Amino acid sequence: NGIYGDLYIHITVNTHKDFKRQGYDIFSTLNLNILQAILGDEVKIKTIHGPVDLKIPPGTQSETIHKIAGKGIQKMRSNDLGDHFVKILVEIPKKLSHDEKQLYEQLASLQGLQLKSAKKGWLF
């Protein structure tokens, strides 16, 4: 029994730790082991619609973006969905075991690389 007026509703959408939204599309990142990037792999990707298998082709470079079609936000007044884009980040190991270092050195030798190992000198 009050007077008529306007009602204003303010909606805030919180950020998500795994996903970023841009329009109807979703963006995420995936950290890959260097061997997964070199040899290829199939990994599970978290999407807002549940996990999806993503094939990583051999030789995948860091910063490569893969598109998973139809796994984004539903478009208004439509049954169409946006896409989910996954940015690949290849992790380079910071520390290697003795055996790992030997294997990488063997690989470098097979590729004809003449590596000069960075050794600590008196200045560094």
Side-chain angles (χ1 to χ4, degrees):
N1 288 338
I3 60 171
Y4 293 102
D6 296 329
L7 172 65
Y8 295 97
I9 299 175
H10 180 75
I11 298 173
T12 303
V13 178
N14 291 332
T15 58
H16 193 277
K17 67 179 181 100
D18 296 326
F19 306 124
K20 287 191 168 95
R21 179 180 176 178
Q22 190 173 32
Y24 296 110
D25 296 326
I26 300 291
F27 294 83
S28 65
T29 58
L30 173 66
N31 294 323
L32 276 187
N33 178 288
I34 190 169
L35 298 175
Q36 289 174 294
I38 292 170
L39 301 173
D41 199 0
E42 188 169 311
V43 295
K44 290 243 184 257
I45 299 294
K46 244 195 304 188
T47 73
I48 61 171
H49 301 280
V52 172
D53 290 330
L54 177 65
K55 288 187 180 185
I56 305 296
T60 295
Q61 302 294 309
S62 196
E63 306 283 327
T64 300
I65 296 176
H66 292 275
K67 175 178 150 182
I68 305 171
K71 295 296 179 182
I73 305 294
Q74 184 170 354
K75 297 180 179 180
M76 293 179 63
R77 298 178 194 88
S78 168
N79 288 331
D80 294 339
L81 295 168
D83 301 317
H84 186 123
F85 294 91
V86 181
K87 184 177 187 178
I88 304 296
L89 299 177
V90 178
E91 294 179 336
I92 306 297
K94 292 181 181 170
K95 293 186 179 185
L96 298 173
S97 70
H98 178 70
D99 291 341
E100 289 171 325
K101 185 175 180 186
Q102 283 186 324
L103 287 171
Y104 279 115
E105 287 171 347
Q106 287 176 2
L107 181 60
S109 176
L110 286 172
Q111 292 186 352
L113 296 174
Q114 301 292 323
L115 301 177
K116 296 178 181 159
S117 296
K119 296 183 180 176
K120 293 185 178 188
W122 64 273
L123 195 54
F124 297 101

